[in-house]
Amino acid sequence: MTHTHLVVMGVAGSGKSTVARALQDRLGWPMAEGDEFHPIANIRKMSEGHPLTDEDRWPWLAAIAAWTTTQDVAGHDTIVTCSALRRVYRDRLREAPGRTVFLHLTGSPELLAERMTARTDHFMPPSLLPSQFATLEPLGRDEAGAAVDIDTSIAAIVDAAVHALDLNPTTN
């Protein structure tokens, strides 16, 4: 049986964690917060307002792929949050076994900046949002996934994702 690994992706402030938790509630799949896989040096760098480089991201992506691999071997479909801004990052995540699909949460820079300014519980400052948009490479036509606009309710986003990606609850 092939297991599905859903990566909830997008720039900072797009609601990855909120949507992933709602998908977890709906599907019953194990979920991981991608930020928890960042090395301390990455968190410090972003907290200080410096964007990450590719070299900073590779160990983080490897750790996420390792978690997905462990879950796949254990027989679980999964959900994980990860900005996955560039195709090469998504390619690295797809190296894990199973079927890796992406839910790209999209929104206007103004809406995302407003959300980032309002939150107080995250290390990523709003000043890094422009670098996130500069790095972002939307899903290619040949990549398994779907883009959903975040300017709607969480329930509507989850419904759209489940329908577009053909996701079904499992008894993991």
Side-chain angles (χ1 to χ4, degrees):
M1 175 178 185
T2 300
H3 296 287
T4 298
H5 306 292
L6 173 61
V7 178
V8 181
M9 65 169 280
V11 299
S14 60
K16 295 181 292 290
S17 298
T18 302
V19 170
R21 283 190 293 275
L23 282 161
Q24 179 185 33
D25 290 345
R26 171 96 168 252
L27 300 171
W29 298 359
M31 184 226 151
E33 174 58 58
D35 286 341
E36 294 177 6
F37 294 94
H38 272 298
I40 297 296
N42 283 9
I43 293 171
R44 186 172 338 163
K45 189 172 185 178
M46 289 183 284
S47 296
E48 293 170 355
H50 303 290
L52 298 179
T53 64
D54 284 353
E55 291 71 32
D56 297 325
R57 287 185 177 101
W58 295 127
W60 172 57
L61 295 165
I64 293 171
W67 178 81
T68 302
T69 297
T70 300
Q71 295 296 315
D72 192 86
V73 169
H76 299 289
D77 297 310
T78 64
I79 302 166
V80 64
T81 62
C82 176
S83 54
L85 298 176
R86 296 184 58 217
R87 183 181 183 115
V88 293
Y89 306 158
R90 297 188 295 271
D91 289 344
R92 176 62 184 100
L93 296 172
R94 276 190 287 268
E95 290 175 8
R99 172 184 171 245
T100 300
V101 297
F102 296 87
L103 173 61
H104 181 187
L105 301 177
T106 64
S108 72
E110 297 79 19
L111 175 60
L112 291 157
E114 178 182 312
R115 286 181 171 196
M116 287 184 75
T117 301
R119 68 184 185 182
T120 58
D121 60 345
H122 202 278
F123 57 82
M124 175 78 81
S127 62
L128 288 180
L129 188 57
S131 72
Q132 294 251 301
F133 273 109
T135 303
L136 177 64
E137 296 171 1
L139 290 172
R141 288 180 173 270
D142 61 333
E143 291 184 274
V148 175
D149 192 294
I150 61 169
D151 196 11
T152 188
S153 71
I154 298 301
I157 293 168
V158 168
D159 286 346
V162 166
H163 176 74
L165 299 171
D166 193 28
L167 304 174
N168 298 299
T170 60
T171 56
N172 287 340

